[in-house]
């Protein structure tokens, strides 16, 4: 079967090369023909995976690269299958027709099947990680289980990432099993903290968001596996809270809270579930455009060209900066595609409804992972980070930032780097990100108020900050794409570490405003959108949960309503 797959791919590549000869017979580094003396002119040796005609292809080179392509195809096919399964799940296994037990079982089995199809027996890691974490929750107790689950889940993920990167396939993209494990790790740790908050900590010690996310009954093994391994989020997430997921599975009625002019609460219940069809169609359109952009534009703007010797030697500084921005902007559509498709899958199953906007239009962005318009138009480093990988940002805030006793920003960036993987480039990016974040915050706190009074001045200020932000983001994430230390330092040294030095100088010149301890400290420096998103989440979530039996419906509504007013 493998030989048939390889032969078909070779024939396809030969057919493509008839119309695009430069794809196979031109070397990317020396521009010589691959059919030079000594080079084997066969379909296998002329494939575009080959890096240089000076280096003879290693045995198995074509096989490995075609497997990478096949894994990417498997990922897309499985996600499309999950989309169809989600539509079927919502239509034929609707909560009004089927018990929560059946919905849990079907969601779990479909998720494990997709994982097995994509990753083979490596999918057992998902069950092992979840099973051991559940065992730790049971035997250790609610007082310390969040610490043990956090250390184990993150440690298990790190070990798997080390073996994949440094033992099997360094530097090669693959739809590897550690990707879903990153999402499962988020779910394991989030739920452990939510159970700790709900079953051990005093209610008055919790923040409004912690109080309303708190889980007050230990989940069953089936509920736990369904939450971690359901087919809607097993491959690409996104993260969701346990209470949101259980509310969806059990099919509780959607509830809206609206504040009237006199301050009273107007609670309305929907008799029928709102349709996600329009939201799903819109997100699939975004997926198609993102995929088209990735397949046509991204390949022509490689990030690696930023460290090309000839380019660095001949291009002017404006050209280099402009290409830096274009190459990193072109690298984002693949994330837009994967995360938007994952969001559409959840919506198609009926999960992700947030409520209605002021115009009565349904909102299906409860677990959305990005806001593309805000990302591309960001005028501050914080604004970009706040709209990129939103659910991961919320996870970092809930399990680390809010609970850190010192240097929450630094601890959060370190945790983010560890969670992403073991490539050195990740750590260079996040260490640089700490400097950029602190410097951007210092500048914003000290000079922004001088430019916001006049609309014309503010417009100029926004244009300048947009350009600065996009360059700073691109400069910061180059190591994240290059992965290794040497090319990353080659890039930074070619730029003379200019933004690193500038950030340090800014921190020396402009004072960072000190914040008070406790909740006020976190509220004063946490992202503005994050507070707004938390408030909207609290407002639109279901009013009570079977995992929160100690709260009455009225108490939960009051809790969420008060959080909204803060």
């Amino acid at each position: 079967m493998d030989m048939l797959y390889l032969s078909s791919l070779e024939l396809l590549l030969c057919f493509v090369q008839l119309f695009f000869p430069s794809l196979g017979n031109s070397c990317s580094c020396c521009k010589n023909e691959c059919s030079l003396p000594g080079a084997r002119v066969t379909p296998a040796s002329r494939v575009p995976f080959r890096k240089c005609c000076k280096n003879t292809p290693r045995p198995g080179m074509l096989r490995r690269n075609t497997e990478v392509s096949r894994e990417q195809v498997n990922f897309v096919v499985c996600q499309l299958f999950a989309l169809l399964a989600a539509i079927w799940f919502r239509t034929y296994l609707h909560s009004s027709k089927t018990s929560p037990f059946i919905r849990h079982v079907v969601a779990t089995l479909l998720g494990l099947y997709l994982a097995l199809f994509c990753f083979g027996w490596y999918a057992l890691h998902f069950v092992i990680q979840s099973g051991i974490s559940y065992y730790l929750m049971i035997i250790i107790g609610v007082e310390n289980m969040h610490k043990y689950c956090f250390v184990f889940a993150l440690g298990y993920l790190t070990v798997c990432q080390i073996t994949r990167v440094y033992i099997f396939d360094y530097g090669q993209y693959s739809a590897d099993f550690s990707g879903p494990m990153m999402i499962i790790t988020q779910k394991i740790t989030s739920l452990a903290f939510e159970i700790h908050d709900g079953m051990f900590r005093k209610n008055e010690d919790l923040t409004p968001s912690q109080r309303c996310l708190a889980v007050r009954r230990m989940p069953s093994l089936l509920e736990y596996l369904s939450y971690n391994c359901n087919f809607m989020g097993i491959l690409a997430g996104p993260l969701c809270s346990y209470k949101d997921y259980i509310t969806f599975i059990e099919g509780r009625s959607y509830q809206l809270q609206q504040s009237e002019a006199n301050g009273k609460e107007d609670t309305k219940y929907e008799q029928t579930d709102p349709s996600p069809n329009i939201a799903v169609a819109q997100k699939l359109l975004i997926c198609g455009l993102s995929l088209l952009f990735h397949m046509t534009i991204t390949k022509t703007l490689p990030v690696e060209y930023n460290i090309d010797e000839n380019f660095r030697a001949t291009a002017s500084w404006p050209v280099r900066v402009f290409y830096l921005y274009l190459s990193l902007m072109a690298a984002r559509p693949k994330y837009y595609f994967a995360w938007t498709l994952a969001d559409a899958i959840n919506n198609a199953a009926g999960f992700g409804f947030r409520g209605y906007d002021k115009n009565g239009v349904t909102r299906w962005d409860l677990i959305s992972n990005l806001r593309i318009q805000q990302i591309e138009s960001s005028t501050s480093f914080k604004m970009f980070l706040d709209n990129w990988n939103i659910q991961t940002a919320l996870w970092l805030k809930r399990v680390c930032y809010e609970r850190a006793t010192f240097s929450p920003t630094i601890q959060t960036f370190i945790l983010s780097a560890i969670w992403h993987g073991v490539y050195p480039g990740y750590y260079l990016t996040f260490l640089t990100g700490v400097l950029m974040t602190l410097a951007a915050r210092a500048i914003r706190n000290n000079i922004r108020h001088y430019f916001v009074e006049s609309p014309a001045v503010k417009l100029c200020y926004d244009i300048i900050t947009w350009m600065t932000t996009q360059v700073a983001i691109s400069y910061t994430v180059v190591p994240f794409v290059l992965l290794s230390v040497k090319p990353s330092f080659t890039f930074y040294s070619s730029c003379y570490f200019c933004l690193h030095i500038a950030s340090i100088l800014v921190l020396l010149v402009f004072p960072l405003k000190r914040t008070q301890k406790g909740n006020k400290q976190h509220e004063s420096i946490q992202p503005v959108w994050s507070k707004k998103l938390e408030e909207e989440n609290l407002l639109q979530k279901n009013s009570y949960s079977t995992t929160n039996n100690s709260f009455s419906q009225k108490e939960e509504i009051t809790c969420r309503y008060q959080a909204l007013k803060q």
Side-chain angles (χ1 to χ4, degrees), residues 209-220:
S209 62
Q210 290 172 349
R211 188 178 303 118
C212 295
L213 290 173
V215 176
R216 305 181 186 275
R217 179 182 66 83
M218 191 69 69
S220 67

Side-chain angles (χ1 to χ4, degrees), residues 161 170-171 182 303-304 328 331-332 334-335 339 388-389 392 413 416-433 473-485 487-489 491-492:
Q161 289 172 331
Y170 186 92
M182 294 169 69
V303 177
E304 292 78 7
L328 270 300
R332 292 197 282 264
K334 64 180 179 182
Y335 297 100
W339 288 340
W388 174 268
N389 207 351
T392 294
F413 271 102
S416 182
I418 296 173
W419 175 78
H420 274 90
V422 294
Y423 284 114
Y426 295 164
Y427 294 85
L428 289 175
T429 287
F430 289 110
L431 290 175
T432 303
I473 288 291
S474 302
Y475 177 91
T476 301
V477 302
V478 165
F480 194 94
V481 179
L482 298 181
L483 301 178
S484 300
V485 172
S488 300
F489 272 96
F491 169 75
Y492 281 147

Side-chain angles (χ1 to χ4, degrees), residues 278-522:
I278 296 178
V280 171
Q282 291 173 341
K283 291 175 182 179
L284 290 180
L285 177 60
I286 294 174
C287 289
L289 295 176
S290 299
L291 183 61
L292 179 63
F293 189 96
H294 176 71
M295 298 298 293
T296 56
I297 305 299
T298 302
K299 301 298 183 181
T300 65
L301 298 170
V303 177
E304 292 78 7
Y305 194 62
N306 285 286
I307 59 173
D308 181 80
E309 292 184 6
N310 184 60
F311 177 70
R312 288 185 290 134
T314 59
S316 62
W317 267 97
V319 172
R320 291 181 58 188
V321 172
F322 186 62
Y323 183 82
L324 173 67
Y325 164 68
L326 286 181
S327 61
L328 270 300
M329 181 190 67
R332 292 197 282 264
K334 64 180 179 182
Y335 297 100
Y336 296 165
F337 169 78
W339 288 340
T340 306
L341 180 57
D343 195 16
I345 292 170
N346 283 272
N347 293 167
F351 186 32
F353 176 72
R354 182 191 293 277
Y356 296 84
D357 63 14
K358 60 183 179 181
N359 298 319
V361 179
T362 55
R363 297 179 59 187
W364 287 89
D365 59 349
L366 178 66
I367 56 175
S368 294
N369 223 8
L370 50 81
R371 298 184 180 95
I372 298 177
Q373 182 178 353
Q374 287 84 343
I375 288 172
E376 299 299 341
S377 61
S378 297
T379 57
S380 69
F381 204 86
K382 178 181 68 68
M383 181 179 176
F384 185 98
L385 296 179
D386 291 347
N387 292 284
W388 174 268
N389 207 351
I390 294 172
Q391 301 306 319
T392 294
L394 287 175
W395 171 70
L396 291 169
K397 172 179 175 289
R398 292 166 182 167
V399 305
C400 181
Y401 191 91
E402 287 184 337
R403 303 172 193 267
T405 56
F406 64 93
S407 302
T409 299
I410 296 177
Q411 289 192 45
T412 301
F413 271 102
I414 292 174
L415 173 60
S416 182
I418 296 173
W419 175 78
H420 274 90
V422 294
Y423 284 114
Y426 295 164
Y427 294 85
L428 289 175
T429 287
F430 289 110
L431 290 175
T432 303
V434 172
L435 275 178
M436 297 294 174
T437 301
L438 296 177
R441 184 182 300 163
I443 293 176
R444 188 177 185 86
N445 290 340
N446 285 277
I447 71 171
R448 185 178 185 273
H449 55 277
Y450 294 112
F451 301 93
V452 296
E453 294 182 359
S454 170
V457 173
K458 185 178 183 300
L459 177 61
C460 294
Y461 175 81
D462 288 340
I463 293 175
I464 294 173
T465 53
W466 175 81
M467 296 172 61
T468 305
T469 297
Q470 298 302 323
V471 173
I473 288 291
S474 302
Y475 177 91
T476 301
V477 302
V478 165
F480 194 94
V481 179
L482 298 181
L483 301 178
S484 300
V485 172
K486 184 176 179 180
S488 300
F489 272 96
T490 298
F491 169 75
Y492 281 147
S493 61
S494 70
C495 299
Y496 305 103
F497 294 91
C498 56
L499 293 189
H500 289 85
I501 297 173
S503 297
I504 295 173
L505 292 177
V506 166
L507 293 176
L508 293 176
V509 173
F510 295 106
L512 274 174
K513 294 183 179 180
R514 294 182 178 273
T515 55
Q516 298 179 359
K517 294 182 180 181
N519 292 337
K520 291 185 179 180
Q521 174 187 8
H522 296 302

